[in-house]
Amino acid sequence: MEDSSHTTSFLSSRKLLNGLFRFYSIRPLYTPRRVKIFLGLTTLAVLGLYVARQRTVPRSEIPPPTYTELRKSEQALPQHDLNLPFPEGKDGRYVKFSNQIAMLGWNNVLSEVLMNAHLAYASRRAYVFRDYIWNPDHYPWPESQRLENPPRTPLSAIIAGTVVGQPFDEGDDAPRSVSESWFDHVCPKKERRIIYTGDVKPAVGWSEGIDIFNHWTKILFEATESCIEVMPSGDDNFPQIFDVWLWGSERLLSLWESFSRSPTSRLLRPSSIVDRSIKQNEHLFRSRSHPRDTSSPYTCMLAMHIRRGDFKSACTHFATWNSTFNGWNLLPQLPDRFEFPPSVVWNTTEYFDAHAKRCIPDVDLITAKAREARRDYAKSSFRGTRLEVVYLLTNEKGEWLEDLKTSLKDDGWKKIVTSHDLELDSEGIEVGMAIDMDIARRAAVFIGNGWSSFTSNVNHHRLVDGKDYFSIRFW
């Protein structure tokens, strides 16, 4: 569990915004570097204030899940054994990242969790995993029904893989991830070496992502202490190793080759809750062309991530700062790159209009993009596979969504399903964001929002799975 003494070290979403504007209030207003990387700050800040899709619980009698058995299984991991040989057991090598963000949107947290786990693996240390701590504004249950505040979800309820202590490849003797409570047991505070981010980060500053990674790997690998805890420095508003400045710039891309091939990425899986919830709803995705249970309902699916609501103001903010795409959405191999012709000049009406079409498209633009994706996929598929089913990952409800569904139906789509159509139990409701992500991962084609870390993480997983670059599109 999160040490209460560290809670104040994490930026809440609103504090992140405040820190962002404080930072810019003491620096020159526009520089090429700031314009190029501002996306990382704005995207993460807005995602902290805005969840891609927040489910509401219509029936107050449905309580939030307790995860009693799941928590028992986390604590019963076989690597939680003092008698295991090095590099596990009482003399093992461990690293806990207490500078890791909390109380922000799931995908802000996921991006950092995966990269920290990759760093721990490269350093030959066991990664210490923790609960996902919600921003209370995003949690599906009202305060009166919450079991604790802020609400927490076991990490293994959302994802599976080496990050949450499952095995590495056969023959790989890297120490397996351990829970925070086990770390507290095997590494009492008096035996930990504390590394403050402020003592390390300045040396690599604005370096390429791979140089930052290698710098930290060397420190953690060469350290002789069994137990290391990375702590935020008090004067650093963004104390993460892989901070918002990195996620909002192309400096991140130098990490792709090693990260995408690592066990952290390759062995990443949906949790059993996510997998079960999707299987229970797969009948919704079947068209008349794929009616049988023996065929995959995803081979003819287009998944579209449609962010609405207060994201309109976020898009205006991105345009104001000429922000680039976020995270892995910047990979140069992906189509639909964020580029405008020379005639569209930043900070003009034409620029803001063109930007809005890419960031918060209207019904006609979405329908046209879906048609384009269907046509291009049919041309590129060696089997001539035709997309027939649309899955809409959206927080939108009401008349606008009904208008979109009507427009898509009129354009020839045989079946249209939205996030709100899924039937979920309490565990499924709580991890609904991960359910949407994994449906998007499985879909034949995915259209996402380039400014979204949700889209970035879906794209990471799709590419690691071996899906083609052309199956990923942006508005």
Side-chain angles (χ1 to χ4, degrees):
M1 305 292 283
E2 191 72 39
D3 188 335
S4 61
S5 65
H6 300 153
T7 301
T8 56
S9 297
F10 297 111
L11 294 174
S12 69
S13 51
R14 291 180 177 83
K15 285 182 180 179
L16 179 58
L17 279 174
N18 291 337
L20 167 64
F21 292 116
R22 285 199 309 271
F23 183 90
Y24 280 103
S25 68
I26 60 175
R27 285 164 171 76
L29 185 57
Y30 300 112
T31 67
R33 171 178 286 174
R34 290 177 54 213
V35 169
K36 193 172 185 63
I37 65 177
F38 191 74
L39 167 67
L41 290 167
T42 51
T43 297
L44 290 172
V46 171
L47 284 175
L49 296 171
Y50 170 83
V51 67
R53 175 186 52 77
Q54 181 177 355
R55 293 190 185 279
T56 57
V57 183
R59 300 184 300 278
S60 59
E61 65 270 18
I62 301 178
T66 61
Y67 301 111
T68 302
E69 295 304 315
L70 187 62
R71 291 193 181 280
K72 288 181 181 178
S73 65
E74 280 191 351
Q75 299 313 312
L77 288 170
Q79 56 267 40
H80 294 171
D81 183 350
L82 292 175
N83 296 317
L84 289 175
F86 181 86
E88 298 179 327
K90 61 181 178 61
D91 297 317
R93 287 167 56 85
Y94 305 91
V95 57
K96 176 184 177 182
F97 297 98
S98 291
N99 61 326
Q100 197 166 282
I101 57 174
M103 297 181 69
L104 288 181
W106 162 241
N107 280 284
N108 308 143
V109 174
L110 177 61
S111 298
E112 189 189 3
V113 163
L114 295 179
M115 197 60 70
N116 282 346
H118 175 41
L119 174 59
Y121 175 79
S123 307
R124 311 311 279 179
R125 290 184 176 273
Y127 173 72
V128 179
F129 66 89
R130 294 174 285 170
D131 288 351
Y132 169 54
I133 305 175
W134 290 76
N135 178 331
D137 293 339
H138 298 173
Y139 193 60
W141 278 270
E143 186 174 2
S144 60
Q145 287 187 277
R146 295 171 190 165
L147 302 179
E148 54 188 335
N149 201 30
R152 300 167 181 261
T153 301
L155 196 58
S156 61
I158 312 175
I159 60 173
T162 62
V163 179
V164 290
Q166 293 175 358
F168 290 101
D169 298 308
E170 185 176 357
D172 191 335
D173 62 354
R176 293 162 290 184
S177 298
V178 300
S179 70
E180 187 173 33
S181 62
W182 177 254
F183 177 78
D184 289 339
H185 177 69
V186 74
C187 293
K189 289 186 177 181
K190 64 181 180 179
E191 296 182 11
R192 301 176 194 176
R193 174 186 171 186
I194 305 300
I195 298 178
Y196 289 99
T197 55
D199 295 333
V200 179
K201 287 182 65 177
V204 283
W206 295 94
S207 301
E208 285 292 316
I210 192 62
D211 295 327
I212 295 172
F213 182 86
N214 289 339
H215 185 73
W216 278 92
T217 299
K218 186 175 187 297
I219 291 172
L220 296 176
F221 181 79
E222 293 181 353
T224 58
E225 296 84 359
S226 290
C227 304
I228 291 181
E229 184 173 6
V230 179
M231 296 280 289
S233 298
D235 58 349
D236 188 354
N237 279 339
F238 307 100
Q240 293 71 44
I241 294 172
F242 308 101
D243 58 25
V244 291
W245 303 103
L246 181 65
W247 288 101
S249 78
E250 292 182 351
R251 294 183 297 119
L252 175 74
L253 302 184
S254 58
L255 282 162
W256 175 251
E257 184 175 359
S258 66
F259 178 60
S260 62
R261 296 179 179 180
S262 72
T264 301
S265 294
R266 290 188 293 100
L267 301 179
L268 180 65
R269 298 288 184 270
S271 72
S272 59
I273 295 172
V274 170
D275 196 48
R276 179 194 73 217
S277 299
I278 292 175
K279 287 179 179 177
Q280 291 173 347
N281 284 277
E282 280 187 343
H283 65 280
L284 298 174
F285 309 142
R286 297 193 179 279
S287 68
R288 293 180 180 178
S289 301
H290 296 75
R292 297 183 179 181
D293 292 342
T294 54
S295 63
S296 170
Y298 306 104
T299 57
C300 60
M301 176 188 284
L302 167 65
M304 298 196 291
H305 182 203
I306 301 172
R307 305 186 47 156
R308 299 285 297 176
D310 61 358
F311 199 61
K312 183 175 181 180
S313 60
C315 289
T316 301
H317 196 64
F318 297 152
T320 299
W321 288 95
N322 196 27
S323 300
T324 61
F325 279 177
N326 173 269
W328 306 120
N329 301 331
L330 289 164
L331 286 167
Q333 302 93 328
L334 293 173
D336 302 329
R337 290 174 60 79
F338 178 53
E339 296 174 342
F340 292 140
S343 58
V344 179
V345 180
W346 175 54
N347 212 25
T348 63
T349 300
E350 291 78 12
Y351 178 89
F352 278 88
D353 290 343
H355 192 284
K357 292 178 181 179
R358 300 295 307 272
C359 193
I360 190 161
D362 60 21
V363 167
D364 290 341
L365 287 170
I366 292 172
T367 303
K369 189 67 180 184
R371 185 188 315 126
E372 176 188 328
R374 179 176 58 192
R375 181 199 65 213
D376 291 349
Y377 186 72
K379 289 180 180 179
S380 61
S381 174
F382 71 95
R383 293 178 179 173
T385 302
R386 181 176 173 84
L387 301 177
E388 299 176 343
V389 178
V390 174
Y391 181 68
L392 304 177
L393 302 79
T394 184
N395 65 314
E396 185 63 78
K397 294 181 180 179
E399 183 178 354
W400 189 93
L401 182 59
E402 293 306 312
D403 289 345
L404 174 60
K405 291 163 66 176
T406 298
S407 179
L408 291 169
K409 183 178 180 180
D410 292 344
D411 203 51
W413 292 93
K414 295 184 177 180
K415 196 155 193 178
I416 302 163
V417 185
T418 78
S419 304
H420 311 295
D421 297 326
L422 303 183
E423 292 292 333
L424 303 172
D425 60 16
S426 62
E427 291 180 339
I429 291 171
E430 184 155 307
V431 302
M433 66 287 191
I435 292 171
D436 267 358
M437 291 176 68
D438 211 63
I439 293 172
R441 174 185 70 86
R442 302 179 191 203
V445 177
F446 171 57
I447 303 176
N449 190 307
W451 287 270
S452 166
S453 59
F454 181 110
T455 289
S456 172
N457 285 327
V458 170
N459 290 340
H460 158 248
H461 210 159
R462 287 177 64 88
L463 293 173
V464 171
D465 280 354
K467 286 188 168 58
D468 292 313
Y469 286 104
F470 72 76
S471 74
I472 295 170
R473 308 296 298 267
F474 298 104
W475 304 116

